Amino acid sequence: MVNLINAATAFIFLGIGAYWLRLGLRTTTQKLFLLSALALMAHGIGGTLYHLFPDSLFFWRLDIIPLSISLLSLIIELALAWKSPSYAHKEKSDLLRFGLPAFGLAIFFRAGTHWIWHLLCAYSLFLLFRYVNATQLKRNESF
């Protein structure tokens, strides 16, 4: 039963990735942002399958590798957004006030109540995507 709940909450990452990929295809030309959204979708699929079939090394890799790619590209985008002029004040504030504490809290739910880890990390990632996307939109409007 626990693995089914973990699988269901891992599937949320697919939805977040799909949302930002769809929005990003309409609003941005930033390839790293689109790569991150696509990799997050793959992580959602891999994580769901891994929680359904936890003995599969292939599904574990399909869970971990896309997440690493997504996070690495988002970190690069975040660094670029952070050093840019102060765009997207609300999104930055939300990321700092809600996203970072949610991620910090998620660390305590890594094992045992893993589904809570999924929900808090998904929320944090959504806010991170929102901030990076908003800074890209603001930068494009200023040129």
Side-chain angles (χ1 to χ4, degrees):
M1 180 64 172
V2 170
N3 275 350
L4 288 177
I5 295 169
N6 289 339
T9 56
F11 197 71
I12 293 170
F13 292 99
L14 173 66
I16 292 171
Y19 174 82
W20 288 112
L21 180 65
R22 183 171 183 234
L23 188 66
L25 286 171
R26 287 186 285 151
T27 61
T28 187
T29 59
Q30 302 296 322
K31 290 177 178 52
L32 276 176
F33 183 83
L34 299 175
L35 171 68
S36 187
L38 194 57
L40 191 63
M41 290 174 64
H43 165 64
I45 294 168
T48 300
L49 292 172
Y50 173 66
H51 285 296
L52 291 173
F53 307 102
D55 295 329
S56 171
L57 181 61
F58 175 74
F59 291 146
W60 178 78
R61 287 182 178 149
L62 190 57
D63 179 18
I64 298 301
I65 293 171
L67 180 61
S68 301
I69 292 168
S70 183
L71 289 177
L72 180 60
S73 58
L74 265 180
I75 288 168
I76 293 169
E77 285 286 335
L78 180 62
L80 293 172
W82 211 267
K83 72 176 200 150
S84 295
S86 294
Y87 300 124
H89 296 293
K90 181 185 181 337
E91 290 83 357
K92 188 176 192 177
S93 174
D94 287 350
L95 177 62
L96 292 173
R97 290 183 313 147
F98 304 118
L100 290 179
F103 182 74
L105 186 60
I107 292 170
F108 294 106
F109 296 102
R110 184 74 179 101
T113 50
H114 192 66
W115 61 274
I116 297 173
W117 160 265
H118 286 162
L119 294 176
L120 292 171
C121 287
Y123 177 66
S124 298
L125 275 171
F126 182 85
L127 291 177
L128 181 56
F129 268 98
R130 186 171 148 239
Y131 170 66
V132 169
N133 183 64
T135 58
Q136 291 174 358
L137 291 175
K138 301 285 187 192
R139 274 188 275 157
N140 291 341
E141 288 173 3
S142 67
F143 291 114

